[in-house]
């Protein structure tokens, strides 16, 4: 007699990857259940990309008001209301959460508002009710969570990136610890909203893994916008009345109203029951999977940040879709993680697709580097001291564009379109014969003709 299951697919986690997988599997005729202990939408919708981007928009109006004078506008003295931003931001998050719920319901997915854990290769336990669910396939899509507070005396006085969205007032003085995209983005937000902002990072440059020239340019821009401290750490935090005293590794003491620790994220696997089925996580906490998102247990799969492949919402969505098509739709395919367009919503913004210069040299040997640094047209009347940087890396042997890096206004929007060309394997000649849209910043990418003098000898990594 064949084994009886309560459902064909049980999804643990209601973030972007889990929701997409559940919905697509249901459209293929599968019976689907999904468990989410907090709110549908996951990190991106509830405590990440969406609310953070709304805050980025809010922070950039301060410069817009200043720049308007150069174009003949008199805008008076603008003021900012944190409570109003929080209320409207949270309302939009709630609206999107409702959209996710209605989408799942409309697809026939049963949603369970509980935490779930794995009991065996085909059994999930609902932790609150104790109910056991037998599933033909289990998909883990629980994402990642901020790392614990700094392991220093007083570390509990700080908040993590989730805590930013709970703040009832804008801190007048804030210390942001970290050099990754979360720290960089939130430091830009608070500086733009008027907080006296200190960004402290133990490394000598921000955004490890990005192209060095982009990192240098961002560091220069941020040094003008805030107090940027590189090559230092925090030794301890202490309460000082209503404030916090932060003692730095060089002995200096900063007194601030809030400390934001944004030093990394870790896959959210605690209490998931992986040990019961023999799944051994990687040293970084990630669940090992193959190219089709299957774990070492044939009936159990994982997608999104919990796998440690690429911590980006669009990647989780595509992995979830590929899983559902492969397992339930008889249309096997997998996600190509080699070329991923991405953006950092710092101010100035960063957009990237492909390799940085150092990696490109190691992969391809001889490359041509095209570079353009210029004052954007808007700054000519606003008087703002800013520059844009665009950089293109070309494999000399094939003429194929293997990396594009942009820093400046709308870099994310620019790189989304450029990402199509690079993913298709466009050559420098393809870019060269594309007619420029004038006057725009993006036209620089199709008008750069002469390789720049490089910092490395040709063919040396």
């Amino acid at each position: 007699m064949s084994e009886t299951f309560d459902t064909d697919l049980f999804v643990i986690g209601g973030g972007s990857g889990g929701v997409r997988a559940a919905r697509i599997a249901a459209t293929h005729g599968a019976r689907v259940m999904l468990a989410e202990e907090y709110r549908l939408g996951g990190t991106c919708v509830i405590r990440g990309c969406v609310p953070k981007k709304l805050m980025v928009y809010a922070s950039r109006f301060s410069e817009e008001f200043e720049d308007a004078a150069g174009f003949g506008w008199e805008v008076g003295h603008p003021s900012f209301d944190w409570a109003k931003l929080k209320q409207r931001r949270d309302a939009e998050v709630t609206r999107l959460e409702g959209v996710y719920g209605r989408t799942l319901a409309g697809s026939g997915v049963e949603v369970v508002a509980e935490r779930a854990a794995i009991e065996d290769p085909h059994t999930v336990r609902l932790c609150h009710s104790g109910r056991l669910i037998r599933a033909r396939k289990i998909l883990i899509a629980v994402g990642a969570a901020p790392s614990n507070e700094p392991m220093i005396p007083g570390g509990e006085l700080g908040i993590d990136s989730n805590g930013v969205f709970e703040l009832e007032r804008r801190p007048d003085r804030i210390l942001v610890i970290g050099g990754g995209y979360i720290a960089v983005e939130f430091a830009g937000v608070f500086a733009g909203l008027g907080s006296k902002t200190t960004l402290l990072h133990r490394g000598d440059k921000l955004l490890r893994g990005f192209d060095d020239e982009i990192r240098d340019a961002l560091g220069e821009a941020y040094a003008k916008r805030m107090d940027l401290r590189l090559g230092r750490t925090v030794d301890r935090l202490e309460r000082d009345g209503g404030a916090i005293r932060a003692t730095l590794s060089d002995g200096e003491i900063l007194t601030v109203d809030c400390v934001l620790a944004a030093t990394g994220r870790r896959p959210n696997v605690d209490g998931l029951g992986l040990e019961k089925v023999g799944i051994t996580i990687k040293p970084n906490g990630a669940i090992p999977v193959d190219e089709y998102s299957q774990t070492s247990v044939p009936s159990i799969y994982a997608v999104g940040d919990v796998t440690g492949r690429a911590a980006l919402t669009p990647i989780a969505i595509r992995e979830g879709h590929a899983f559902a098509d492969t397992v339930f739709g008889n249309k096997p395919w997998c996600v190509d993680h080699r070329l991923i367009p991405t953006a950092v919503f710092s101010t100035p913004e960063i957009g990237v697709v492909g390799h940085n210069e150092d990696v490109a040299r190691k992969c391809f040997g001889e490359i041509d580097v095209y570079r353009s640094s210029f004052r954007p047209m808007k700054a000519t009347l606003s008087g703002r001291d800013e520059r844009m940087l665009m950089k293109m890396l070309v494999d000399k042997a094939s003429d194929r564009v293997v990396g594009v890096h942009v820093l400046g206004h709308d870099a994310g929007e620019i790189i989304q379109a450029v990402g199509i060309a690079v993913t298709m394997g466009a050559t420098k000649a393809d870019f060269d014969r594309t007619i420029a849209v004038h006057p725009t910043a993006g036209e620089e990418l199709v008008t750069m003709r002469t390789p720049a003098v490089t910092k490395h000898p040709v063919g040396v990594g």
Side-chain angles (χ1 to χ4, degrees):
M1 177 180 290
S2 61
E3 187 171 2
T4 301
F5 295 100
D6 300 307
T7 188
D8 296 312
L9 172 63
F10 195 101
V11 180
I12 305 176
S16 298
V19 168
R20 175 61 65 90
R23 183 175 66 81
I24 298 302
T27 65
H28 289 313
R31 297 170 300 158
V32 183
M33 295 181 67
L34 181 148
E36 172 54 56
E37 65 175 321
Y38 181 52
R39 299 173 68 181
L40 291 174
T43 295
C44 180
V45 172
I46 306 300
R47 297 180 292 199
C49 321
V50 171
K52 180 175 60 180
K53 184 69 180 291
L54 294 174
M55 295 177 73
V56 169
Y57 282 135
S59 71
R60 290 177 178 172
F61 278 102
S62 58
E63 290 189 354
E64 294 291 332
F65 293 135
E66 294 174 357
D67 292 350
F71 292 85
W73 287 91
E74 295 294 338
V75 295
H77 183 70
S79 62
F80 171 69
D81 187 331
W82 174 274
K84 182 176 288 186
L85 171 63
K86 184 178 187 302
Q87 183 273 324
R88 292 184 65 83
R89 181 201 68 202
D90 293 351
E92 174 61 9
V93 167
T94 299
R95 184 189 72 81
L96 291 173
E97 181 185 12
V99 171
Y100 270 62
R102 290 190 296 274
T103 298
L104 289 171
S107 300
V109 177
E110 181 182 349
V111 177
V112 182
E114 288 190 50
R115 180 178 178 83
I118 296 171
E119 287 291 308
D120 67 40
H122 291 285
T123 305
V124 173
R125 175 174 52 86
L126 300 179
C127 299
H128 178 71
S129 64
R131 180 183 172 194
L132 296 177
I133 307 294
R134 294 284 292 166
R136 190 179 306 276
K137 303 292 183 184
I138 297 170
L139 176 66
I140 301 168
V142 293
S147 301
N148 293 330
E149 70 267 359
M151 301 301 290
I152 57 173
E156 71 281 357
L157 297 177
I159 64 172
D160 58 27
S161 57
N162 290 346
V164 170
F165 303 109
E166 305 301 324
L167 290 173
E168 295 296 333
R169 59 177 294 273
R170 177 186 62 80
D172 293 328
R173 303 163 296 179
I174 185 169
L175 169 62
V176 180
I177 305 171
Y181 74 94
I182 296 175
V184 163
E185 289 176 340
F186 275 123
V189 164
F190 282 105
L193 293 178
S195 298
K196 182 180 178 182
T197 303
T198 299
L199 175 57
L200 183 143
H201 175 46
R202 63 184 179 183
D204 60 349
K205 296 181 182 181
L206 301 170
L207 296 179
R208 180 170 59 88
F210 283 71
D211 190 89
D212 277 348
E213 287 190 78
I214 294 292
R215 299 172 74 192
D216 289 338
L218 180 69
E220 292 172 8
Y222 263 36
K224 298 174 184 176
R225 285 175 164 80
M226 64 192 71
D227 180 15
L228 178 61
R229 308 287 185 100
L230 298 175
R232 276 166 276 192
T233 59
V234 177
D235 283 348
R236 64 181 180 276
L237 302 176
E238 301 168 287
R239 181 65 68 187
D240 183 9
I244 300 172
R245 285 165 47 95
T247 301
L248 307 187
S249 54
D250 60 2
E252 185 175 0
I253 295 176
L254 300 179
T255 301
V256 296
D257 303 299
C258 181
V259 175
L260 166 58
T263 53
R265 295 175 65 83
R266 187 170 177 82
N268 197 19
V269 296
D270 292 346
L272 196 55
L274 298 175
E275 68 284 351
K276 294 183 179 181
V277 292
I279 295 177
T280 302
I281 61 174
K282 298 178 181 179
N284 65 355
I287 297 176
V289 293
D290 65 15
E291 66 269 30
Y292 290 100
S293 297
Q294 190 173 40
T295 71
S296 58
V297 178
S299 59
I300 300 178
Y301 294 73
V303 299
D305 293 7
V306 75
T307 68
R309 287 179 286 188
L312 295 166
T313 297
I315 293 296
I317 291 172
R318 288 185 67 82
E319 290 172 353
H321 199 136
F323 155 79
D325 278 350
T326 299
V327 177
F328 296 101
N330 197 29
K331 297 188 294 184
W333 63 281
C334 56
V335 178
D336 185 350
H337 295 85
R338 292 173 299 175
L339 279 175
I340 302 174
T342 189
V344 179
F345 295 107
S346 48
T347 302
E349 196 166 291
I350 295 170
V352 175
V353 62
H355 301 297
N356 65 39
E357 184 176 343
D358 289 338
V359 172
R361 291 186 182 281
K362 291 175 183 176
C363 291
F364 302 100
E366 294 190 36
I367 65 170
D368 281 330
V369 179
Y370 295 83
R371 182 188 302 107
S372 179
S373 177
F374 57 96
R375 191 180 192 190
M377 189 176 190
K378 184 178 178 182
T380 61
L381 294 191
S382 72
R384 183 167 298 280
D385 179 18
E386 65 176 295
R387 298 189 67 79
M388 288 194 73
L389 172 63
M390 296 191 178
K391 184 173 180 179
M392 180 183 294
L393 308 174
V394 180
D395 172 25
K396 236 178 179 180
S398 66
D399 196 44
R400 187 164 60 90
V401 176
V402 296
V404 177
H405 307 264
V406 179
L407 179 140
H409 286 296
D410 291 329
E413 304 292 342
I414 293 171
I415 214 66
Q416 177 64 88
V418 173
I420 299 171
V422 175
T423 301
M424 291 177 68
T427 63
K428 182 63 168 63
D430 292 325
F431 276 76
D432 290 346
R433 68 168 171 264
T434 300
I435 296 174
V437 179
H438 181 76
T440 66
E443 69 180 297
E444 293 291 322
L445 292 172
V446 299
T447 58
M448 294 187 289
R449 293 291 187 267
T450 305
V453 177
T454 59
K455 63 181 179 180
H456 299 297
V458 173
V460 178

